[in-house]
Amino acid sequence: MKLTLRIWRQSGPNAQGTLVDYVLDDVSPEMSFLEMLDVLNEKLILDGDIPVTFDHDCREGICGACGMVVNGAPHGPQTLTTTCQLHMRTFSDGDTIVIEPWRSAAFPVVKDLMVDRSAFDRIIQAGGYVSVTTGSAPEANTQLVPKPDADLAFENAECIGCGACVAACPNGSSMLFVSAKVSHLNVLPQGQPERESRVVGMVEQMDAEGFGGCTNTGECTNACPKGIPQASIARLNKEYLRASLTHRR
Amino acid sequence: MAVTGILMLLFLILHMAGNLKIFFGRDDFDSYAHWLRTIGSPVLHNAWFLWIQRFVLLVAIALHAVSAYQLSRRDLKARPEKYAHRLRPTASYATNTMRFGGIIIGLFVIYHILDLTALVANPNGVEGAAYDNVVADFSHWYIALAYIVAMLALCLHIAHGFWSAARTLGAVTSATRATAYKATAGVLAAVITLGFLAVPIAVMAGLVD
Ligand code: SF4
Ligand code: FES
């Protein structure tokens, strides 16, 4: 396949960026999207150009590092798929593909397609954890978890912190990410000690990072590679209302 | 946004139902309009209830508008650099037009108060003659048209607004409930809009004159 790639190039955090066109002549439909970028980078290096910087790690859809906006869709056109799991067969010969970094005040561009997502780390530090007693593992049946709760927690635990929800949201809101973490931990018995401080802390940190406000457009869920449901946002709101009434600082 | 929105929605349901009294004729409608001024009496003085209600609504509108403004500013700041390739939209038309639709409705409310409450913008403008004032309005096609456009904007606003408010207040915590709330939002939007539209359509069709 012959493709034209229109890629955001920006040499550093404070540099002025711009879209640059590259033509790749024989892209195999079996390649993954990141392999296609690897091929481009090899070519750029051989030509003495600077390769395109993009974030990636696992390349199997579980680490959340590889986010980029492909033709206006975070992680590309295929639903429930990270960029690394996207294959070139989704595109056609002759296509022009526009590739941009996540756009969010809270995710500043580091270089080219790579953004700094440490805002998410700080949100996690503000409450996305549970207290555990270290030492020997407790007997498995001492803490019973009802099946529906376990399922709900697991569904939300699937969030890989990629930030596609923020990138897709017209308001640049990170509610889906925060709601996944709060839903995951607040429903489990292990999460009860921090139930209120977690939601209050995470929401306050989210606001402090400069994310936008949620208007329930649902773009986040539609872009999320893990299908975190919009219902989690309602649960976050519910937990937050509950905690604001009962939480002692 | 959610609390004030729901408050205004409740008012709209009552307002719409009251409007339909126009189909029972001039006397019924005018005496209904008069009765609105006597709610709460003799405990409350004449029209006091009306003024309390107006005050509450005004505060609701003001808070709704201020939150919308603050939210919009925050959202714009959250994405300083725009995408070169437009984001692929997957949300509904109603969802994507909340701000724009809200402004249309806001402007309409101002006009509507000048028209049928203060009577300064009404072609008939006789106090106590609610029925004739309404008929005088909708005998002009451009007034009817403006009204219809505003009501369609309202329909879209409620269709997204109701269910979004429910979510904000933490009510829609499962997919099944989401379907139920979305359906309720649709029905509410449709019923309120049709109820309001019945009046100008009836006047234009000559059923009410
Ligand atoms: S909620 Fe989905 S889109 Fe958002 S960070 Fe988690 S996995 Fe990514
Ligand atoms: S590289 Fe880990 S999710 Fe794509």
Side-chain angles (χ1 to χ4, degrees), chain A residues 48-67:
Chain A
D49 284 338
I50 303 169
V52 178
T53 301
F54 61 93
D55 216 349
H56 62 105
D57 186 22
C58 70
R59 298 210 176 195
E60 55 183 19
I62 56 171
C63 76
C66 58

Side-chain angles (χ1 to χ4, degrees), chain A residues 120 158-166 176-177 180 220 223-226 228:
Chain A
F120 270 11
E158 279 192 66
C159 167
I160 53 176
C162 64
C165 42
V166 176
L176 195 67
F177 166 74
C220 50
C224 175
K226 299 296 149 183
I228 302 297

Side-chain angles (χ1 to χ4, degrees), chain B residues 51 63 68 73 97 104 109-110 112 127 130 133 138 152 163 165 189:
Chain B
W51 280 107
L63 291 178
R73 278 205 44 172
T97 51
I104 294 185
V109 167
I110 297 175
H112 190 56
E127 196 165 342
N133 296 341
F138 296 137
L152 293 178
W163 107 281

Side-chain angles (χ1 to χ4, degrees), chain B residues 158-205:
Chain B
I158 296 173
H160 174 81
F162 175 76
W163 107 281
S164 176
R167 190 145 263 173
T168 301
L169 297 173
V172 200
T173 48
S174 74
T176 5
R177 285 198 200 158
T179 319
Y181 273 94
K182 267 194 173 151
T184 314
V187 170
L188 265 178
V191 168
I192 292 179
T193 311
L194 290 177
F196 278 126
L197 287 182
V199 178
I201 290 173
V203 172
M204 287 191 294

Side-chain angles (χ1 to χ4, degrees), chain A residues 200-219:
Chain A
V200 172
M202 290 181 86
V203 167
E204 278 175 1
Q205 190 60 38
M206 163 180 98
D207 289 345
E209 296 291 348
F211 290 105
C214 175
T215 58
N216 298 303
T217 66
E219 297 289 1

